[in-house]
Amino acid sequence: DHVAFTFERFDDLVARLRRANVTIIEGPYAFGEAKAVMIEDPDGLAIELIERGPQLRPRGSSLPSDR
């Protein structure tokens, strides 16, 4: 199994991961109407990073930005 996090500015995030030589296990790939990518952390665990869009933002949400 794995954990997942959502991010705005997904394409910028993926570009930063590539520049940092982060291991991308899979993707980017379609995730409903959004995109996602599966990366590997330093311990070898999978982490899914999902594009945050209106479909993933709960109504009335005050989640902090990923800035």
Side-chain angles (χ1 to χ4, degrees):
D1 218 354
H2 65 277
V3 297
F5 300 95
T6 60
F7 288 86
E8 294 178 353
R9 299 180 309 278
F10 181 81
D11 293 328
D12 293 338
L13 171 68
V14 172
R16 284 181 293 181
L17 294 170
R18 287 187 171 137
R19 283 193 304 271
N21 295 316
V22 171
T23 300
I24 296 178
I25 300 170
E26 184 180 351
Y29 49 87
F31 188 85
E33 294 181 23
K35 296 179 273 188
V37 65
M38 186 79 68
I39 64 169
E40 185 176 82
D41 79 1
D43 293 321
L45 302 173
I47 300 173
E48 189 172 29
L49 307 176
I50 304 167
E51 178 180 40
R52 183 185 302 149
Q55 71 280 8
L56 295 176
R57 191 171 293 121
R59 197 174 280 173
S61 173
S62 60
L63 294 173
S65 173
D66 60 314
R67 291 182 192 174

